[in-house]
Amino acid sequence: MRLLFLCHGHPDLQAGGTEISTRDLFQALASQPGISGAFVAGVSALHRPQSPGTALQAIGTAANEMLLWTAGFDRFHLSQTDLHGVAPALETLLETVAPDVVHLHHLLLLGAETLQLIRRLRPAAKIVLTLHDYYAICAHEGTMLTTQGQLCHQATPDACLRCLPDRSATDFRLRAVTLRHLLDQVDAFVAPSEFLKARYVAWGLEPSRISVIGNGLAPVAAAPHRNAGRGARDRFAFFGHINRFKGAKLALAASARLSADGIEHRLDLHGGTAFQTPEFLADFDRLLAAAPMAQHHGAYTRDELAARIQDADWVVVPSLWWENAPLVIQEALAHRRPVIAADIGGMAEMVSHGTNGMLFRAGDPRSLAETMARAASEPALWRALVRGITPPFPLERAVAAQLALYARLGVALPRAAAPLPRARAPRRRAA
């Protein structure tokens, strides 16, 4: 079986959760006997210069990974405008790889028209699209978050017009009709959370076309807990990109409240600030200065996560939008750190309040501060939540579930491909 994976970014250039999870899944599938193919990621001038004479570029030393220059992209329409550059390169890829399955993991940079091109050039191939966020539904960066920072419950032309008044209601209607039409080319969709599936069903996709398959995480050696004895577990860590949606500023506001109340704690923020506006960065710096027990440690690589999480008792995930399936929650649970997360979207599916972490009211710094204060003052609670942690959805089961989906679409699997393993109750360890 031959696979072509298409993603909007490569984790070596843009280490987001979607990029990391997608490449991990491809590598795990490609390591199965009888399976081969290619992982192709979009790239623009934000990541590296264009190579002259070709839209394709090498990335690292992996023979089955490459980049596709996709700079001519219209973010509102999710449309690739550089068809003279992108279409011939995709045609070459489809002829060379000759995939049985083309599995897309985003329409960003690649463009929704890619679906029609694949269908025309490889009519027998099955097309699968994993829905990692809400870009098809929401023209405001796919967040379902208004420009005023409020949660959006339904993307209607009137609601979208309030966010993007430079557009017309007709623009939003045509955008939705066009994208739904192009998505008809897809044989099956994957949603990593039930919440995201429900959003797309409400938008108009048939429920039977969407399979819920979690993003798998490869096994990791859990970083040891710091030696606090029976004392306070008052060290909190934020991991993720410092941007408008991930809630770093909310975490700083909560830390400032705790400091004002005389509650000892430490908040370490780990993440880069690339691509942010000067206004956002100035506000972030102001909030950081107002939170004396918080510190920003900058960007980190995946290999550095274990060392950075070792000092943390809790991982805080204060995202302001309906996160789908944050990789940081999986990583925190793999390292046996209870998670304090906003009570919305896929975060509320992954964190069970009172079992493996705690939930707070999304967007509310007071609620987060109160939750952190309780966490810092009740070491027995920390121990109980650590005991309640079970390993996150393993990569091997994600691989098996994806293969089962391909088989349901009529793709002939290699005989040696891994069968779906039986679910086993994870063993718990004492804190």
Side-chain angles (χ1 to χ4, degrees), residues 157-332:
D158 290 333
C160 294
L161 193 59
R162 286 192 291 271
C163 271
L164 302 173
D166 292 340
R167 293 284 178 174
S168 69
T170 300
D171 287 339
F172 293 108
R173 292 189 181 96
L174 288 176
R175 180 185 188 274
V177 168
T178 301
L179 287 173
R180 288 191 187 101
H181 172 69
L182 291 171
L183 290 174
D184 283 342
Q185 304 296 322
V186 176
D187 293 296
F189 297 93
V190 174
S193 71
E194 293 285 353
F195 181 87
L196 184 134
K197 175 179 178 176
R199 276 300 167 93
Y200 274 94
V201 170
W203 184 68
L205 295 186
E206 288 293 327
S208 60
R209 298 177 67 198
I210 308 176
S211 298
V212 177
I213 302 174
N215 294 326
L217 187 70
V220 299
H225 295 129
R226 71 183 184 92
N227 184 14
R230 310 294 286 188
R233 291 291 179 174
D234 55 5
R235 296 186 184 180
F236 304 88
F238 168 99
F239 292 92
H241 196 217
I242 306 295
N243 62 28
R244 291 173 292 157
F245 311 120
K246 292 291 187 180
K249 294 199 298 185
L250 183 76
L252 288 174
S255 177
R257 283 177 175 268
L258 294 180
S259 294
D261 291 338
I263 298 175
E264 286 292 325
H265 70 287
R266 193 174 84 190
L267 172 64
D268 294 304
L269 294 99
H270 304 278
T273 59
F275 313 127
Q276 303 311 298
T277 65
E279 294 79 13
F280 173 87
L281 294 176
D283 201 33
F284 175 77
D285 289 340
R286 177 184 62 80
L287 289 168
L288 184 61
M293 298 183 188
Q295 186 174 355
H296 179 216
H297 300 273
Y300 64 97
T301 66
R302 194 179 191 185
D303 292 340
E304 294 171 331
L305 175 64
R308 294 204 183 195
I309 206 171
Q310 189 162 326
D311 242 7
D313 300 316
W314 308 81
V315 171
V316 180
V317 185
S319 291
L320 305 176
W321 67 294
W322 317 93
E323 286 264 22
N324 168 36
L327 175 63
V328 64
I329 293 181
Q330 290 180 295
E331 291 173 330

Side-chain angles (χ1 to χ4, degrees), residues 130-148:
T130 295
L131 304 164
H132 289 281
D133 48 37
Y134 314 98
Y135 264 96
I137 303 173
C138 174
H140 180 225
E141 302 187 66
T143 60
M144 295 294 289
L145 197 68
T146 72
T147 50
Q148 292 76 39

Side-chain angles (χ1 to χ4, degrees), residues 89-158:
L90 280 173
E91 184 173 359
T92 298
L93 282 170
L94 290 167
E95 290 176 353
T96 304
V97 178
D100 303 295
V101 176
V102 180
H103 194 150
L104 297 95
H105 286 264
H106 228 298
L107 298 178
L108 273 182
L109 296 188
L110 302 168
E113 302 89 351
T114 300
L115 299 169
Q116 285 184 324
L117 182 67
I118 296 166
R119 181 60 70 212
R120 178 170 63 83
L121 296 175
R122 293 291 298 176
K126 299 303 179 181
I127 301 176
V128 179
L129 173 61
T130 295
L131 304 164
H132 289 281
D133 48 37
Y134 314 98
Y135 264 96
I137 303 173
C138 174
H140 180 225
E141 302 187 66
T143 60
M144 295 294 289
L145 197 68
T146 72
T147 50
Q148 292 76 39
Q150 303 299 312
L151 291 167
C152 177
H153 294 266
Q154 187 177 14
T156 65
D158 290 333

Side-chain angles (χ1 to χ4, degrees), residues 356-382:
N356 62 358
M358 292 189 287
L359 300 173
F360 69 94
R361 287 189 301 276
D364 187 342
R366 176 176 295 181
S367 178
L368 176 54
E370 291 171 350
T371 305
M372 292 170 67
R374 183 187 173 197
S377 64
E378 299 182 25
L381 173 64
W382 179 86

